[in-house]
Amino acid sequence: MNNDYLLLTPGPLSTSHTVKEAMLKDWCTWDDEYNQGVVQVIRKQLCEVAVADPQYRSDYSATLMQGSGTASVEAAIGTFIPKSGTLLVINNGAYGARIIEIANYLNINVIALNFIETELPQLEQISQALEQHPEITHVAMVHCETTTGMLNPAKRVAELVKHHNKVMILDAMSSFGGIEMDMHQWQIDILISSANKCIQGVPGFGFVIAKTALLVASEGQARSLSLDLHAQWKTMENHHGKWRFTSPTHVVRAFAKALEELAQEGGVSARFKRYSENQKQLVSGMKALGFEALLPEVMHSPIITSFYSPSDESYEFKRFYEALKQKGYVIYPGKVSNADCFRIGNIGEVYAADISGLLEAIAQAKYW
């Protein structure tokens, strides 16, 4: 079966040939070459990406966790919030809703501050919630809500959260490595992301970067054996990068190569520039073809964009998808509850020529 196509999705995404080649070697999970030479280096590099100033970087530690990005979100929520804690979730999309669902599964006291999917979280309402509920101990929000492609105001929200002396948890799944941020400057206590997003690795593990003091204080709080973030962190600290249970060795090595390629590209600022240019080219080209973006441009992220489906009665997303796939491009279905739309991502090993090719493919054929 031919699967030679470009993934224009929010992740997993298209990776470089060299990242794929990095998975050709087998690794022993007990070997120092792997644990100290690969895992520990990754943990250090993640903190370097997350915190610019070495003076503050030592206050943070990165922990790698097997599984999907959601598994890392669940590990963080389930480990950092004590039984007496209360979580405020600022929700304007499917992934904010997932954090609420996780908290409910884990029997964590949760307060949901819900906004419609096409609306930015309102700082005044967040402040009111924090004032009305002094029992809140932690606040969680998604940075790039790929339900719509919206970029939420993480820095401003974190400033407000810290003003109220709460712990700030940022789901930066689809933004870390592709959008410039600084955990110390932004006052982010806990950040969660995944290997197969803007770092441009492959699926298999996520990671949590957190203040070391919070990790130390979280001992015994986890609600799961395999998702005990404190235990994973402590094992990695005490055994030089060793994972508690079998680690995805090939995926980890691919991620190490992806981090190397991020640096070679010029770091997060250069990658942000490429992603942003991709996204602007995409929106401009789609507009010229008669498509309308779901969100106003001021709310767009450089990660993924939602477009309204054509009003033509003969349009069907599945046919549209398959037609583009035959031409070498894979897009994403819509996820907005009150709008018929589809999504196109532009992160990963994607460049201006790829966006031009996609736009040409759409323009050359009738899919509806």
Side-chain angles (χ1 to χ4, degrees), residues 212-219 221 230:
T212 305
L214 291 175
L215 282 160
V216 172
S218 68
E219 183 174 8
Q221 293 181 170
H230 174 274

Side-chain angles (χ1 to χ4, degrees), residues 8-66:
L8 297 170
T9 69
L13 36 69
S14 289
T15 56
S16 69
H17 289 296
T18 41
V19 164
K20 297 179 183 71
E21 287 172 353
M23 294 186 285
L24 294 176
K25 178 179 177 179
D26 299 320
W27 296 81
C28 173
T29 59
W30 284 89
D31 197 277
D32 288 344
E33 183 184 4
Y34 171 70
N35 290 318
Q36 294 189 44
V38 181
V39 178
Q40 291 292 74
V41 172
I42 286 173
R43 296 179 69 211
K44 178 175 180 289
Q45 289 174 330
L46 285 173
C47 289
E48 290 171 353
V49 174
V51 182
D53 191 336
Q55 177 183 351
Y56 302 108
R57 191 181 299 149
S58 60
D59 294 337
Y60 299 82
S61 186
T63 308
L64 314 185
M65 294 293 294
Q66 300 95 325

Side-chain angles (χ1 to χ4, degrees), residues 77-107:
I77 298 298
T79 299
F80 285 113
I81 302 173
K83 290 181 179 179
S84 60
T86 296
L87 174 67
L88 172 66
V89 180
I90 301 164
N91 168 40
N92 64 340
Y95 299 98
R98 188 173 295 176
I99 296 175
I100 295 170
E101 186 178 12
I102 287 169
N104 287 330
Y105 261 84
L106 299 178
N107 293 316

Side-chain angles (χ1 to χ4, degrees), residues 204-275:
F205 75 91
F207 52 88
V208 180
I209 307 170
K211 285 188 174 179
T212 305
L214 291 175
L215 282 160
V216 172
S218 68
E219 183 174 8
Q221 293 181 170
R223 295 156 172 85
S224 164
L225 171 65
S226 61
L227 297 181
D228 187 336
L229 189 70
H230 174 274
Q232 181 91 326
W233 166 75
K234 192 170 184 180
T235 300
M236 287 184 170
E237 288 288 294
N238 293 342
H239 300 281
H240 312 293
K242 181 74 175 65
W243 301 51
R244 292 163 67 223
F245 309 119
T246 303
S247 66
T249 52
H250 299 80
V251 174
V252 172
R253 183 62 189 86
F255 189 72
K257 183 63 178 176
L259 279 169
E260 180 184 320
E261 293 181 0
L262 173 64
Q264 290 170 350
E265 185 171 350
V268 177
S269 60
R271 186 154 291 179
F272 172 77
K273 182 175 184 291
R274 172 164 64 87
Y275 287 174

Side-chain angles (χ1 to χ4, degrees), residues 1-2 5 315-332 367:
M1 184 176 72
N2 178 29
Y5 46 70
Y315 169 81
E316 183 184 40
F317 174 77
K318 185 65 174 176
R319 289 206 307 271
F320 184 40
Y321 172 91
E322 291 294 342
L324 289 179
K325 181 179 175 182
Q326 288 301 313
K327 290 184 174 290
Y329 303 96
V330 167
I331 63 171
Y332 231 46
Y367 304 125

Side-chain angles (χ1 to χ4, degrees), residues 13 141 178-179 184 187 214 216 249 263 266 306 335:
L13 36 69
M141 186 180 75
I179 296 175
H184 174 73
Q187 302 183 76
L214 291 175
V216 172
T249 52
S306 292
K335 206 167 188 175

